[in-house]
Amino acid sequence: MRADDRPEATRDRLLDAAGAEFAEHGFRHATVREICRRAGANVAAVNYHFRDKESLYEAVVTRAHRYAVDKFPPGLGLGADPTPEQRLGAFVRAMFLRMFDEGRPAWQGKLMAREMFEPTRALAILVNDIIKPQHLELMSIVRALMPGAGEAALRLAVNSVIGQVLHYHHARAVTALLQPAAQYGAEDIERLAGHVTRFSLAGIRDMAGGGG
Amino acid sequence: MRADDRPEATRDRLLDAAGAEFAEHGFRHATVREICRRAGANVAAVNYHFRDKESLYEAVVTRAHRYAVDKFPPGLGLGADPTPEQRLGAFVRAMFLRMFDEGRPAWQGKLMAREMFEPTRALAILVNDIIKPQHLELMSIVRALMPGAGEAALRLAVNSVIGQVLHYHHARAVTALLQPAAQYGAEDIERLAGHVTRFSLAGIRDMAGGGG
DNA sequence: AACCGATTCAAACGGCAGTTTAGAGTGATG
DNA sequence: CATCACTCTAAACTGCCGTTTGAATCGGTT
């Protein structure tokens, strides 16, 4: 049977397997051999279909980006003419969903979180294609909540929001040791998103009112 | 000249070099060869003075902990009978200082941040010796600010504070690309600590007032 | 001087990872 | 049927890493 006849061509299976491995272990720790094993392909498959491990990684990153944009469009459950508060809530919720969704390719959030901590050459791609647009969107949301605030204050507020969300991903190993009972199911994600949104709104309003 | 006569014995030089390498590259990426090169020692030195790479890592972790406790004691510039707000401010400031201080062994904060993201076997040590005491201290601070709140609410507030602080360490590569101008000098750290403290106080007060 | 324990050293070992290579299979094309 | 491009495969190559080994060095002790 030729590869094209199979339900999934080898190239696609490699992208799937690589996405899972890269998201779980990072670029360096993920091994080409394990990726090929998961994809049911030969060790040389990566070098044949993609030039090398790094090019495969870039392909995974851009693919995850396209998928994430499809699955979590910017609007994301917002009605027409939403308030800034609603936009912030939707933004935070979407970030949580991207990071904790265990669906098929849920790598986008995990890859992004990992690149932040352990950058590779693909970081420039990620920043330009994914992070910068989201950063600008969150900046505009916060700007609407803090009219008249300077750029520096906006950045501080944005970092506070992002930091809270990413922490639940970064620190999950520690959390598992500190609070063994805690598990992140679907409703917990909604609870966390609600908390971060309210907490951040209070902080932002304080910044807007206090005059900095 | 015998090793004991040198200003620094080989064992100590190894600990210094290993601390820097581990903090910068993490346990797996740091190489024994580079550590020994920095320490001016033979490749076999690690296996002679410590049993293996992992034992060296544990020694570095516990050493960094002792140093951090000495340099940043829990009180840290607080007067007698401080308010909860002052305690929170001191706590946040101490975390920032530990992470950004470039002094001799400033690894404690960096190692901790790294272990959170990429745990090793030493994570249990770190959690018990370093993270859990700090976690409990922050819990008590937040408890004083949110009297009557449940454990779950306290944990959410604690996570929000920690997440904001750690974000400035985790995301520094991305920040460098998004805001090339931003640099973290001594006064910037004070500014960041002040922001996170105020932002968090507003969020915590909102949680305490809103009734959750 | 002879010996000893501690330390240092160069060299090698074994394993794993990314990549390359040479060849075999396969469907389409003439 | 011969040819060709594409795909896949087993095996080897190269380099790095942690560790081990056996000898050399050196101060102190008898």
Side-chain angles (χ1 to χ4, degrees), chain B residues 12 24 178 187 201:
Chain B
D12 284 337
E24 190 171 357
L178 281 178
E187 63 234 35
L201 274 176

Side-chain angles (χ1 to χ4, degrees), chain A residues 48-64:
Chain A
Y48 176 75
H49 287 282
F50 310 85
R51 191 178 58 243
D52 51 17
K53 187 186 178 184
E54 193 167 326
S55 300
L56 168 62
Y57 183 73
E58 288 188 12
V60 166
V61 163
T62 59
R63 190 187 188 226

Side-chain angles (χ1 to χ4, degrees), chain B residues 172-205:
Chain B
R172 61 201 189 290
V174 172
T175 307
L177 284 181
L178 281 178
Q179 307 151 13
Q183 275 290 344
Y184 293 150
E187 63 234 35
D188 300 293
I189 291 179
E190 299 297 332
R191 192 170 50 84
L192 293 180
H195 160 71
V196 170
T197 302
R198 288 212 306 169
F199 195 94
S200 301
L201 274 176
I204 291 171
R205 290 201 187 102

Side-chain angles (χ1 to χ4, degrees), chain B residues 122-144:
Chain B
L123 179 62
I125 300 175
L126 264 167
V127 166
N128 276 323
D129 291 0
I130 306 180
I131 299 179
K132 190 176 280 182
Q134 285 197 47
H135 187 81
L136 290 178
E137 162 143 6
L138 184 52
M139 284 284 277
S140 91
I141 294 173
V142 173
R143 199 192 313 273

Side-chain angles (χ1 to χ4, degrees), chain A residues 163-165 167-168 171 175 178-179 184 192 195 199, chain B residues 135 138-139 142 152-165:
Chain A
Q164 288 179 76
V165 177
H167 179 62
Y168 286 95
T175 307
L178 282 178
Q179 306 150 14
Y184 294 150
L192 293 181
H195 160 71
F199 195 95
Chain B
H135 187 81
L138 184 52
M139 284 284 277
V142 173
L154 290 180
R155 274 199 289 271
L156 287 176
V158 164
N159 283 335
S160 285
V161 175
I162 304 281
Q164 286 179 76
V165 178

Side-chain angles (χ1 to χ4, degrees), chain A residues 101-147:
Chain A
D101 185 22
E102 291 296 340
R104 190 164 154 282
W107 319 313
Q108 195 259 2
K110 294 176 183 176
L111 285 174
M112 197 179 81
R114 199 168 268 279
E115 275 287 331
M116 283 194 175
F117 190 75
E118 191 177 58
T120 69
R121 273 196 211 158
L123 179 62
I125 299 175
L126 265 167
V127 166
N128 276 323
D129 290 0
I130 307 179
I131 298 179
K132 190 176 281 184
Q134 285 196 47
H135 187 81
L136 291 178
E137 161 141 8
L138 184 52
M139 284 284 278
S140 93
I141 294 174
V142 173
R143 200 191 313 271
L145 290 165
M146 299 169 58

